[in-house]
Amino acid sequence: MKKHKILFAVISALLAVGMIFAAACGGGYSETQNDDKQALLDLVVDFGNAKSKYNLGEELDTSRLFCSAKFIDVETGEESVDEDIEDDIIIDSSEFDSSVVGIYSIYVSYTHAGVTRVKSYPVQVIGTDAEFGGIEVEYAAGTNNKVTLQSGTTTTTIPQDGIIVKRVDNNGNVMDTLPSSDYVLELYKGTVKQDGWTVGGGAYTIRATLKSNPKVSNFVSYYVVDDLKTFTLNAGAVTEQKVGDDVMSSTWTFTATYNSGAARIVTADDVTITNLITTRVTTNTAVGYRVATVTYTEFSGRGGTVSKELKIQYVVTE
């Protein structure tokens, strides 16, 4: 009888050990569900780079979460980590409401072989402009924002690296530096958005716009120096018309040439014309030979503006 009691005690102890081991594995192993005999121990979530503060109306951004799963082999007891679980992560943001100021919990979960592990982290929605004042855009130290075109080279490609975008509060104090994934860079010449980053001479602005709020933007300048050399009237321009007519200047086009060899056509709409008199003010005041002054002004790659003047003789007849 004692032998039976001892045998029963041994069997009971072995069953207890098995139950303890199963508990240690989080109940994550089933031969029918998990042929690789890997039991899920834990979900590890790195919230360090996650966006934690939002303005009213901003969308939740979980792109900077990093998740991994910790497993144990139920046969060998060996532990392992799987970092390739991004496609199987589930984000529960049902509590998050960016229309109401407050603190919310975001839940991150992962399921393996019927076992689910859940982690959470807090995010805060702050009042409209209660803290956020806008963005600053600047170049990193040592970054050059000017290039001079040489003769025979009419274009250059403006680089996008070396640009830093920072969030600032209402007092202009820097809150943090934004990753490039949070904003869009666009190139403008004056008010005209450029189709690409390979351009000719001129003064440009590189505009950074927040993806989460397209109304928030700022810019830095970039200069492509290509000095204006000549400005001439093109052939075919009409320089004679009858008094009272006003068709002469509409036929005027000009060519602006630059140090690099580049050239562009300029129309009468792009210039200022003075002393172009075609109507009779008093007897014979409009009739005869006269000289009009044409002034062409553009933004210079050196900063500011540059102008060229051209004198054009014309005649008004009866």
Side-chain angles (χ1 to χ4, degrees):
M1 190 67 179
K2 289 182 180 180
K3 290 182 179 179
H4 289 291
K5 288 182 177 180
I6 293 172
L7 180 60
F8 179 76
V10 170
I11 294 172
S12 298
L14 290 173
L15 289 173
V17 170
M19 291 175 66
I20 292 172
F21 184 74
C25 294
Y29 171 68
S30 167
E31 286 192 5
T32 58
Q33 293 178 310
N34 190 18
D35 293 335
D36 62 3
K37 298 181 173 55
Q38 294 291 307
L40 177 63
L41 284 180
D42 196 12
L43 170 64
V44 181
V45 183
D46 182 356
F47 305 107
N49 294 319
K51 184 175 174 64
S52 60
K53 288 188 176 181
Y54 295 83
N55 291 306
L56 286 171
E58 273 195 275
E59 295 183 0
L60 181 69
D61 179 7
T62 60
S63 62
R64 284 178 270 170
L65 291 175
F66 180 75
C67 303
S68 60
K70 188 176 181 181
F71 295 93
I72 186 171
D73 189 304
V74 297
E75 291 186 343
T76 65
E78 181 179 351
E79 294 184 1
S80 61
V81 174
D82 184 358
E83 298 181 347
D84 188 21
I85 62 171
E86 180 180 354
D87 293 340
D88 299 316
I89 289 294
I90 295 176
I91 305 293
D92 179 1
S93 60
S94 57
E95 293 184 10
F96 181 73
D97 185 354
S98 66
S99 66
V100 180
V101 172
I103 298 176
Y104 303 92
S105 292
I106 307 300
Y107 299 93
V108 184
S109 65
Y110 174 70
T111 300
H112 178 81
V115 176
T116 300
R117 295 287 182 260
V118 181
K119 295 292 175 70
S120 66
Y121 71 102
V123 297
Q124 181 181 12
V125 177
I126 60 179
T128 303
D129 295 331
E131 181 179 3
F132 177 65
I135 60 174
E136 285 184 353
V137 185
E138 62 186 35
Y139 286 106
T143 301
N144 186 18
N145 71 328
K146 180 183 289 187
V147 64
T148 300
L149 295 180
Q150 303 301 315
S151 178
T153 303
T154 59
T155 61
T156 187
T157 300
I158 296 178
Q160 299 176 52
D161 53 350
I163 294 176
I164 299 173
V165 180
K166 299 177 180 179
R167 291 198 313 155
V168 295
D169 62 22
N170 286 327
N171 297 318
N173 300 312
V174 175
M175 299 167 62
D176 54 24
T177 298
L178 297 175
S180 58
S181 57
D182 281 5
Y183 56 85
V184 175
L185 294 179
E186 296 172 314
L187 184 66
Y188 283 79
K189 187 176 186 180
T191 59
V192 179
K193 180 181 175 182
Q194 304 298 292
D195 293 331
W197 293 79
T198 299
V199 296
Y204 297 86
T205 56
I206 301 174
R207 183 179 301 177
T209 302
L210 290 183
K211 290 182 178 179
S212 61
N213 188 348
K215 294 182 179 180
V216 178
S217 64
N218 212 328
F219 66 90
V220 290
S221 298
Y222 194 94
Y223 302 99
V224 180
V225 179
D226 193 9
D227 294 330
L228 179 61
K229 292 182 64 177
T230 63
F231 182 70
T232 55
L233 179 67
N234 292 332
V238 174
T239 56
E240 180 180 337
Q241 68 180 24
K242 291 184 178 182
V243 65
D245 289 345
D246 190 19
V247 296
M248 185 168 56
S249 63
S250 64
T251 70
W252 293 357
T253 63
F254 312 86
T255 298
T257 60
Y258 299 84
N259 185 62
S260 68
R264 66 184 296 256
I265 300 299
V266 177
T267 69
D269 293 333
D270 301 318
V271 299
T272 300
I273 304 175
T274 57
N275 198 34
L276 183 61
I277 301 171
T278 61
T279 58
R280 191 188 304 277
V281 179
T282 59
T283 303
N284 296 328
T285 56
V287 177
Y289 287 92
R290 296 184 177 276
V291 177
T293 300
V294 177
T295 304
Y296 173 62
T297 302
E298 67 178 21
F299 287 102
S300 169
R302 298 184 184 275
T305 59
V306 61
S307 298
K308 288 283 187 181
E309 276 192 0
L310 182 64
K311 302 293 186 179
I312 300 178
Q313 181 175 285
Y314 66 97
V315 62
V316 179
T317 63
E318 289 289 355

